[in-house]
Short mmCIF file of all heavy atoms in Angstrom, two decimals:
data_model
loop_
_atom_site.label_atom_id
_atom_site.label_comp_id
_atom_site.label_asym_id
_atom_site.label_seq_id
_atom_site.Cartn_x
_atom_site.Cartn_y
_atom_site.Cartn_z
N GLN Y 264 0.14 11.85 0.75
CA GLN Y 264 -0.86 11.28 -0.14
C GLN Y 264 -0.84 9.75 -0.05
O GLN Y 264 0.08 9.16 0.53
CB GLN Y 264 -0.61 11.71 -1.58
CG GLN Y 264 -0.82 13.19 -1.82
CD GLN Y 264 -0.75 13.54 -3.29
OE1 GLN Y 264 -1.04 12.73 -4.16
NE2 GLN Y 264 -0.40 14.78 -3.56
N GLY Y 265 -1.86 9.13 -0.62
CA GLY Y 265 -1.90 7.68 -0.67
C GLY Y 265 -0.99 7.13 -1.75
O GLY Y 265 -0.17 7.85 -2.32
N LEU Y 266 -1.15 5.87 -2.04
CA LEU Y 266 -0.29 5.18 -3.01
C LEU Y 266 -0.96 5.13 -4.38
O LEU Y 266 -2.16 4.88 -4.49
CB LEU Y 266 -0.03 3.75 -2.54
CG LEU Y 266 0.60 3.60 -1.16
CD1 LEU Y 266 0.66 2.14 -0.77
CD2 LEU Y 266 1.98 4.19 -1.15
N GLN Y 267 -0.16 5.35 -5.40
CA GLN Y 267 -0.64 5.27 -6.76
C GLN Y 267 0.14 4.17 -7.49
O GLN Y 267 1.36 4.13 -7.42
CB GLN Y 267 -0.44 6.61 -7.48
CG GLN Y 267 -0.91 6.60 -8.93
CD GLN Y 267 -0.61 7.91 -9.65
OE1 GLN Y 267 0.08 8.78 -9.13
NE2 GLN Y 267 -1.14 8.05 -10.85
N LEU Y 268 -0.58 3.30 -8.19
CA LEU Y 268 0.08 2.21 -8.89
C LEU Y 268 0.84 2.74 -10.10
O LEU Y 268 0.28 3.45 -10.94
CB LEU Y 268 -0.94 1.18 -9.35
CG LEU Y 268 -0.36 -0.05 -10.04
CD1 LEU Y 268 0.39 -0.92 -9.03
CD2 LEU Y 268 -1.45 -0.87 -10.72
N LEU Y 269 2.12 2.39 -10.20
CA LEU Y 269 2.93 2.71 -11.38
C LEU Y 269 2.84 1.62 -12.43
O LEU Y 269 2.67 1.89 -13.61
CB LEU Y 269 4.40 2.87 -10.98
CG LEU Y 269 4.86 4.16 -10.34
CD1 LEU Y 269 6.33 4.03 -9.97
CD2 LEU Y 269 4.65 5.33 -11.26
N LEU Y 270 3.00 0.37 -11.98
CA LEU Y 270 2.96 -0.77 -12.90
C LEU Y 270 2.85 -2.05 -12.09
O LEU Y 270 3.04 -2.05 -10.88
CB LEU Y 270 4.21 -0.78 -13.80
CG LEU Y 270 5.58 -0.65 -13.14
CD1 LEU Y 270 6.06 -1.93 -12.50
CD2 LEU Y 270 6.61 -0.16 -14.16
N LYS Y 271 2.54 -3.13 -12.82
CA LYS Y 271 2.39 -4.43 -12.17
C LYS Y 271 2.81 -5.54 -13.12
O LYS Y 271 2.67 -5.41 -14.35
CB LYS Y 271 0.96 -4.66 -11.70
CG LYS Y 271 -0.06 -4.69 -12.84
CD LYS Y 271 -1.48 -4.80 -12.31
CE LYS Y 271 -2.48 -4.76 -13.47
NZ LYS Y 271 -3.90 -4.76 -12.98
N TYR Y 272 3.33 -6.61 -12.53
CA TYR Y 272 3.59 -7.83 -13.28
C TYR Y 272 2.68 -8.92 -12.74
O TYR Y 272 2.65 -9.18 -11.53
CB TYR Y 272 5.05 -8.28 -13.14
CG TYR Y 272 5.24 -9.68 -13.69
CD1 TYR Y 272 5.34 -9.89 -15.06
CD2 TYR Y 272 5.25 -10.78 -12.84
CE1 TYR Y 272 5.45 -11.17 -15.57
CE2 TYR Y 272 5.37 -12.06 -13.35
CZ TYR Y 272 5.46 -12.25 -14.71
OH TYR Y 272 5.57 -13.52 -15.21
N THR Y 273 1.94 -9.55 -13.66
CA THR Y 273 1.09 -10.68 -13.24
C THR Y 273 1.52 -11.93 -14.01
O THR Y 273 2.01 -12.89 -13.42
CB THR Y 273 -0.39 -10.37 -13.49
OG1 THR Y 273 -0.59 -9.97 -14.85
CG2 THR Y 273 -0.85 -9.23 -12.58
N THR Y 274 1.33 -11.95 -15.30
CA THR Y 274 1.81 -13.05 -16.13
C THR Y 274 2.25 -12.47 -17.47
O THR Y 274 2.03 -11.30 -17.76
CB THR Y 274 0.73 -14.09 -16.40
OG1 THR Y 274 -0.36 -13.46 -17.10
CG2 THR Y 274 0.20 -14.72 -15.13
N GLY Y 275 2.87 -13.33 -18.30
CA GLY Y 275 3.20 -12.89 -19.65
C GLY Y 275 4.54 -12.17 -19.72
O GLY Y 275 5.50 -12.56 -19.05
N ALA Y 276 4.58 -11.15 -20.54
CA ALA Y 276 5.82 -10.43 -20.79
C ALA Y 276 6.46 -9.97 -19.49
O ALA Y 276 5.80 -9.38 -18.63
CB ALA Y 276 5.57 -9.24 -21.70
N THR Y 277 7.76 -10.23 -19.39
CA THR Y 277 8.44 -9.91 -18.14
C THR Y 277 8.87 -8.45 -18.05
O THR Y 277 9.20 -7.98 -16.98
CB THR Y 277 9.67 -10.81 -17.97
OG1 THR Y 277 10.52 -10.65 -19.11
CG2 THR Y 277 9.26 -12.27 -17.83
N LEU Y 278 8.88 -7.77 -19.18
CA LEU Y 278 9.16 -6.33 -19.17
C LEU Y 278 7.83 -5.61 -19.17
O LEU Y 278 7.04 -5.72 -20.11
CB LEU Y 278 10.00 -5.93 -20.38
CG LEU Y 278 10.39 -4.45 -20.46
CD1 LEU Y 278 11.25 -4.05 -19.27
CD2 LEU Y 278 11.12 -4.16 -21.77
N VAL Y 279 7.60 -4.85 -18.13
CA VAL Y 279 6.31 -4.21 -17.93
C VAL Y 279 6.48 -2.70 -18.01
O VAL Y 279 7.38 -2.14 -17.39
CB VAL Y 279 5.73 -4.59 -16.55
CG1 VAL Y 279 4.39 -3.91 -16.34
CG2 VAL Y 279 5.60 -6.09 -16.42
N LYS Y 280 5.62 -2.08 -18.78
CA LYS Y 280 5.65 -0.62 -18.89
C LYS Y 280 4.52 -0.02 -18.07
O LYS Y 280 3.40 -0.57 -18.03
CB LYS Y 280 5.53 -0.21 -20.35
CG LYS Y 280 6.72 -0.64 -21.19
CD LYS Y 280 6.63 -0.10 -22.60
CE LYS Y 280 7.77 -0.64 -23.47
NZ LYS Y 280 9.10 -0.24 -22.94
N GLY Y 281 4.82 1.08 -17.39
CA GLY Y 281 3.82 1.72 -16.57
C GLY Y 281 3.59 3.17 -16.94
O GLY Y 281 3.94 3.60 -18.02
N ILE Y 282 3.05 3.90 -15.98
CA ILE Y 282 2.76 5.30 -16.23
C ILE Y 282 4.00 6.15 -16.04
O ILE Y 282 4.98 5.70 -15.43
CB ILE Y 282 1.63 5.80 -15.31
CG1 ILE Y 282 2.04 5.69 -13.84
CG2 ILE Y 282 0.35 5.03 -15.56
CD1 ILE Y 282 1.08 6.36 -12.88
N ASN Y 283 3.95 7.35 -16.59
CA ASN Y 283 5.02 8.35 -16.39
C ASN Y 283 6.38 7.88 -16.90
O ASN Y 283 7.41 8.36 -16.42
CB ASN Y 283 5.14 8.74 -14.91
CG ASN Y 283 3.86 9.33 -14.36
OD1 ASN Y 283 3.01 9.81 -15.12
ND2 ASN Y 283 3.70 9.27 -13.06
N GLY Y 284 6.40 6.97 -17.87
CA GLY Y 284 7.65 6.54 -18.48
C GLY Y 284 8.43 5.49 -17.71
O GLY Y 284 9.56 5.15 -18.09
N PHE Y 285 7.88 4.96 -16.64
CA PHE Y 285 8.56 3.93 -15.85
C PHE Y 285 8.35 2.55 -16.45
O PHE Y 285 7.32 2.29 -17.08
CB PHE Y 285 8.06 3.94 -14.41
CG PHE Y 285 8.59 5.07 -13.59
CD1 PHE Y 285 7.88 6.26 -13.46
CD2 PHE Y 285 9.81 4.95 -12.93
CE1 PHE Y 285 8.36 7.31 -12.71
CE2 PHE Y 285 10.31 6.00 -12.17
CZ PHE Y 285 9.59 7.17 -12.06
N GLU Y 286 9.32 1.68 -16.25
CA GLU Y 286 9.17 0.29 -16.60
C GLU Y 286 9.95 -0.57 -15.61
O GLU Y 286 10.80 -0.07 -14.86
CB GLU Y 286 9.63 0.01 -18.03
CG GLU Y 286 11.08 0.29 -18.31
CD GLU Y 286 11.43 0.01 -19.78
OE1 GLU Y 286 10.59 0.29 -20.66
OE2 GLU Y 286 12.53 -0.49 -20.02
N ALA Y 287 9.61 -1.86 -15.59
CA ALA Y 287 10.27 -2.78 -14.68
C ALA Y 287 10.35 -4.14 -15.36
O ALA Y 287 9.51 -4.50 -16.18
CB ALA Y 287 9.51 -2.90 -13.36
N GLU Y 288 11.37 -4.89 -15.00
CA GLU Y 288 11.55 -6.22 -15.58
C GLU Y 288 11.56 -7.28 -14.49
O GLU Y 288 12.32 -7.18 -13.51
CB GLU Y 288 12.86 -6.30 -16.37
CG GLU Y 288 13.01 -7.63 -17.11
CD GLU Y 288 14.18 -7.64 -18.06
OE1 GLU Y 288 15.02 -6.71 -18.02
OE2 GLU Y 288 14.27 -8.61 -18.86
N PHE Y 289 10.69 -8.27 -14.64
CA PHE Y 289 10.64 -9.40 -13.72
C PHE Y 289 11.70 -10.40 -14.13
O PHE Y 289 11.69 -10.91 -15.25
CB PHE Y 289 9.25 -10.04 -13.77
CG PHE Y 289 9.15 -11.36 -13.05
CD1 PHE Y 289 9.51 -11.46 -11.72
CD2 PHE Y 289 8.68 -12.49 -13.71
CE1 PHE Y 289 9.39 -12.68 -11.05
CE2 PHE Y 289 8.56 -13.70 -13.05
CZ PHE Y 289 8.93 -13.80 -11.72
N LYS Y 290 12.64 -10.67 -13.21
CA LYS Y 290 13.69 -11.67 -13.46
C LYS Y 290 13.55 -12.75 -12.41
O LYS Y 290 14.01 -12.58 -11.26
CB LYS Y 290 15.07 -11.03 -13.43
CG LYS Y 290 15.31 -10.07 -14.58
CD LYS Y 290 16.76 -9.60 -14.61
CE LYS Y 290 17.01 -8.71 -15.83
NZ LYS Y 290 18.43 -8.24 -15.89
N LYS Y 291 12.95 -13.86 -12.80
CA LYS Y 291 12.67 -14.93 -11.84
C LYS Y 291 13.96 -15.50 -11.26
O LYS Y 291 14.04 -15.77 -10.07
CB LYS Y 291 11.86 -16.03 -12.52
CG LYS Y 291 11.42 -17.14 -11.61
CD LYS Y 291 10.57 -18.15 -12.35
CE LYS Y 291 10.14 -19.29 -11.44
NZ LYS Y 291 9.32 -20.28 -12.17
N SER Y 292 14.98 -15.67 -12.10
CA SER Y 292 16.22 -16.29 -11.63
C SER Y 292 16.92 -15.42 -10.60
O SER Y 292 17.66 -15.93 -9.75
CB SER Y 292 17.16 -16.53 -12.82
OG SER Y 292 17.48 -15.30 -13.45
#
Side-chain angles (χ1 to χ4, degrees):
Chain Y
Q264 293 188 27
L266 303 174
Q267 180 184 8
L268 183 70
L269 281 176
L270 50 78
K271 63 184 177 185
Y272 169 78
T273 53
T274 61
T277 56
L278 182 62
V279 180
K280 295 185 185 299
I282 62 171
N283 301 339
F285 284 94
E286 62 182 37
E288 186 171 11
F289 170 55
K290 292 187 176 181
K291 185 177 179 180
S292 61

